[in-house]
Amino acid sequence: MAQAAKIEISPTEAPTAASAADSPAIAVLFRNGKDTPRGAWFPADEIEAVLAGAAEMGMHAVKASTAEIISLVQRLPKGRIFDSGKLFTPLIQGKVYDELMMHVPEHGITAKPRLVMSAASSGTGDADAEGPGASVPEGTRPTDWSQITVGSLVLAEEARMEGWFESIVLEVRPKDVFILKFRDYPDDPIITRHISRLALMMQVETAKTA
């Protein structure tokens, strides 16, 4: 199981026992294409469980580490962790989601899964990584689901019933979750997709020539 990142809280910042359960320490965010985003905050004593759940579900996580982030996180509902480890995250306002996502690059944290790098993208074997690379070259076109690695070119669904587009895999996460970017639309945001919302290029090309 991937080891969750830890947040260090200094003694002067540590909440009292009475207020800990009501003090947001971390928030998770998720959006599928153009769907209404989801999000929630969780207290400090649930951080490790939240990171594990966020990694499994392909969610972003951000620390409530500045006054600006805390003010935004307080506009989210409080989340809940199911017995299965999955996270309950209600629908949230798009504006709050967009503003919090601006803080993810600097204050975001995540469980760190083991990544399998393709030869085209790294020239090496297994490697640990902090997150998606800024630039990952298009590499292999896998012919089997087990061959999908960082740099692979696949088709990803933009939003349900709204088309499929060539996408490059930036990060491989547990439970068949992938972080990708649309190859021909570099200015579009990075997306998170389960394998059920991907298609293999070779399968599509074979069907066209059959």
Side-chain angles (χ1 to χ4, degrees), residues 30-170:
F30 179 74
R31 187 172 201 169
N32 261 335
K34 298 177 182 178
D35 294 347
T36 302
R38 295 179 175 272
W41 66 263
F42 297 84
D45 62 352
E46 296 180 347
I47 285 176
E48 292 196 10
V50 168
L51 288 174
E56 179 178 344
M57 298 174 71
M59 295 180 169
H60 296 282
V62 60
K63 295 181 291 186
S65 54
T66 69
E68 182 180 1
I69 297 176
I70 291 172
S71 67
L72 289 169
V73 169
Q74 288 174 336
R75 295 168 64 183
L76 301 177
K78 185 177 181 180
R80 185 159 54 93
I81 304 173
F82 293 113
D83 291 340
S84 63
K86 293 188 176 182
L87 309 179
F88 172 68
T89 53
L91 298 175
I92 60 173
Q93 293 181 348
K95 182 178 180 180
V96 176
Y97 171 87
D98 292 339
E99 291 184 14
L100 275 171
M101 283 297 294
M102 294 175 63
H103 296 282
V104 167
E106 182 178 358
H107 298 277
I109 53 179
T110 182
K112 298 177 181 177
R114 191 77 171 174
L115 300 186
V116 181
M117 305 294 289
S118 68
S121 63
S122 69
T124 62
D126 290 352
D128 285 319
E130 295 292 332
S135 177
V136 177
E138 176 186 327
T140 61
R141 296 190 178 197
T143 57
D144 184 83
W145 297 109
S146 63
Q147 297 173 357
I148 300 178
T149 63
V150 173
S152 293
L153 183 69
V154 298
L155 291 174
E157 189 179 20
E158 180 184 15
R160 297 198 183 279
M161 306 302 291
E162 290 195 21
W164 299 71
F165 299 89
E166 290 88 349
S167 304
I168 300 172
V169 176
L170 301 181

